[in-house]
Amino acid sequence: MKRIAVLGSTGSIGTQCLDVVARLPDRLQVVALAAHQHHERLWQQAQHFGVRHVALVDEQAAEALRQRQPDLQVYAGDEGLQTVATLPEVDTVVVGVAGVCGLAATVAALRAGKSIALASKEVLVAAGHSVTALAKERGLPIIPIDSEHSAVFQCLQGERVEAVRRILLTASGGALRDVPLEELPYVTPERALQHPTWRMGAKITIDSATLMNKGLEIIEAHWLFGIPAQQVQVVIHHQSIVHALVEMQDGSVLAQLGLPDMRLPIQYALLYPERVDTGLPQLDLTQIGTLTFAEPDPRRYPALQLARDALAAGGTMPAVMNAANEVAVARFLKGEIRFTDIVSCVRAVMDQHQPTLPTLEAVQHADTWAREQARLWTSR
């Protein structure tokens, strides 16, 4: 029986994680849950899984839940996330929270000897060197939940990193992949949220439309697998069936295929190295028929180069890029800026930043600064 804490349990990754747990009651047990502010949904999850320890980042939401359920142990704030991530009864921490708050909780969990099942891109984007070094020092695994990194992780089982020529991360192209370039400035949030293959949260769906999600994944792959960024490439794959490919030095190409269902990489991360049938939908290639691949158009997806620039600059620059992007996406969803302004905003904030060593304190400071700059940014 593996005992897990789920950070971000009310979000897309968290709810799918709990679905996987429900399918494996003899193997997985939830002992702690954490969310940002949806205390009603968190309470329902706690009831369903018999959880006594929960955390809410929002202080008011935490107090509301305490008043309603005095028998429940409720922790609050970023410190609350760290508390549930380090409980003695926790074996593995699923990090599915958005934002830099997941970074401190991940670091705390590793220091407490917990294995990490990682879905939050921000953790490795903001502080990949520190987090991976800490995991190595403690001899603890970081198993990716992102479908692309899970695919790479699976392809590399039994392989030496030195034998890898390049990693190919696949991208659907997002909801706007067929919209004429001249129309992109005028697309609405509703249109940009209509993803053709995946069902995800709003922020990641917009990141898929800009391909910033792939930019973040290039940085993640660099830290997770120790591969130079120039050996990590992106290909457009509309069907979302091949989640990643790994080309070896001898020319062989390994690939991991599966339906676009996040429960598959979640289950793999939680049960690794075991594989069991839990009744999830199965892939039938005869029904898919055709698989296509293409180079991403840099005019349509300038965020890819932005991410490479951030990684090349190093230090706190990736954290600044990530934070500015989060704010820019939120502003687009509110109708404050245009779709094409997202990358422009992020680039402008990055241009103002002088990167420093990415200590935890420096990353948090850079994150706060970048968010404020992105809120103040106006289109020229």
Side-chain angles (χ1 to χ4, degrees):
M1 180 68 70
K2 184 177 291 185
R3 301 168 299 176
I4 66 173
V6 182
L7 310 186
S9 66
T10 62
S12 175
I13 290 294
T15 53
Q16 292 179 87
C17 178
L18 294 180
D19 179 77
V20 170
V21 172
R23 294 167 181 269
L24 295 160
D26 58 333
R27 292 173 179 261
L28 301 173
Q29 178 188 5
V30 182
V31 296
L33 297 167
H36 186 265
Q37 63 182 6
H38 296 300
H39 59 88
E40 178 64 32
R41 192 171 189 183
L42 184 67
W43 164 236
Q44 292 172 356
Q45 292 175 337
Q47 276 189 308
H48 183 80
F49 288 94
V51 172
R52 304 306 306 163
H53 297 275
V54 301
L56 285 154
V57 175
D58 187 280
E59 301 274 356
Q60 293 183 333
E63 184 57 32
L65 187 54
R66 285 195 194 100
Q67 295 296 327
R68 179 177 172 181
Q69 302 295 336
D71 294 334
L72 191 64
Q73 183 64 61
V74 182
Y75 308 95
D78 291 346
E79 296 80 7
L81 286 183
Q82 296 175 49
T83 298
V84 297
T86 57
L87 290 170
E89 54 266 47
V90 171
D91 301 315
T92 297
V93 179
V94 177
V95 184
V97 290
V100 77
C101 62
L103 171 58
T106 302
V107 169
L110 287 169
R111 287 174 175 165
K114 315 299 183 185
S115 300
I116 302 296
L118 185 64
S120 297
K121 291 176 169 57
E122 296 86 353
V123 171
L124 294 182
V125 169
H129 181 273
S130 300
V131 172
T132 53
L134 178 60
K136 184 177 181 180
E137 173 191 321
R138 300 299 173 95
L140 295 167
I142 298 177
I143 302 180
I145 283 179
D146 261 354
S147 60
E148 296 80 6
H149 298 97
S150 174
V152 175
F153 185 81
Q154 293 179 57
C155 289
L156 290 179
Q157 294 304 299
E159 301 288 350
R160 295 180 301 107
V161 172
E162 295 78 11
V164 175
R165 176 175 293 167
R166 61 176 178 159
I167 289 173
L168 297 169
L169 304 174
T170 58
S172 69
L176 308 177
R177 64 195 187 192
D178 299 319
V179 173
L181 291 175
E182 61 272 17
E183 295 180 17
L184 287 179
Y186 311 106
V187 297
T188 64
E190 291 75 21
R191 175 69 183 85
L193 288 170
Q194 296 173 14
H195 199 284
T197 51
W198 289 95
R199 294 296 172 263
M200 307 176 290
K203 194 267 181 182
I204 184 63
T205 303
I206 300 303
D207 280 352
S208 178
T210 63
L211 235 60
M212 178 60 86
N213 66 329
K214 295 300 144 180
L216 299 175
E217 287 169 14
I218 290 171
I219 299 174
E220 281 188 279
H222 167 67
W223 293 118
L224 272 172
F225 307 114
I227 300 291
Q230 62 267 28
Q231 291 176 234
V232 183
Q233 299 177 11
V234 174
V235 293
I236 302 297
H237 170 53
H238 287 177
Q239 296 79 23
S240 297
I241 296 298
V242 179
H243 300 296
L245 306 98
V246 178
E247 182 181 359
M248 310 304 289
Q249 294 291 354
D250 63 0
S252 298
V253 178
L254 310 178
Q256 190 270 333
L257 287 71
L259 291 172
D261 187 332
M262 283 304 301
R263 293 173 297 178
L264 292 168
I266 289 170
Q267 179 175 306
Y268 182 80
L270 293 180
L271 292 184
Y272 175 79
E274 292 185 84
R275 295 182 186 268
V276 299
D277 182 4
T278 58
L280 291 174
Q282 303 291 306
L283 173 63
D284 183 347
L285 286 174
T286 64
Q287 295 297 313
I288 303 299
T290 302
L291 301 176
T292 61
F293 304 89
E295 291 280 348
D297 183 349
R299 298 171 301 166
R300 183 179 296 275
Y301 303 115
L304 281 176
Q305 187 57 49
L306 206 59
R308 291 190 183 278
D309 292 344
L311 182 59
T316 49
M317 188 64 84
V320 164
M321 181 195 70
N322 176 74
N325 179 65
E326 284 190 26
V327 173
V329 169
R331 292 186 64 187
F332 167 68
L333 289 171
K334 293 176 183 176
E336 296 178 4
I337 63 175
R338 299 180 301 178
F339 176 77
T340 48
D341 286 335
I342 295 173
V343 169
S344 297
C345 175
V346 177
R347 189 185 303 278
V349 175
M350 288 173 60
D351 285 345
Q352 298 176 59
H353 182 64
Q354 291 296 323
T356 61
L357 289 174
T359 64
L360 184 57
E361 182 180 359
V363 165
Q364 292 171 331
H365 176 76
D367 179 272
T368 301
W369 174 85
R371 290 175 190 278
E372 182 61 24
Q373 297 304 308
R375 292 187 190 100
L376 296 173
W377 181 86
T378 57
S379 179
R380 301 295 190 267

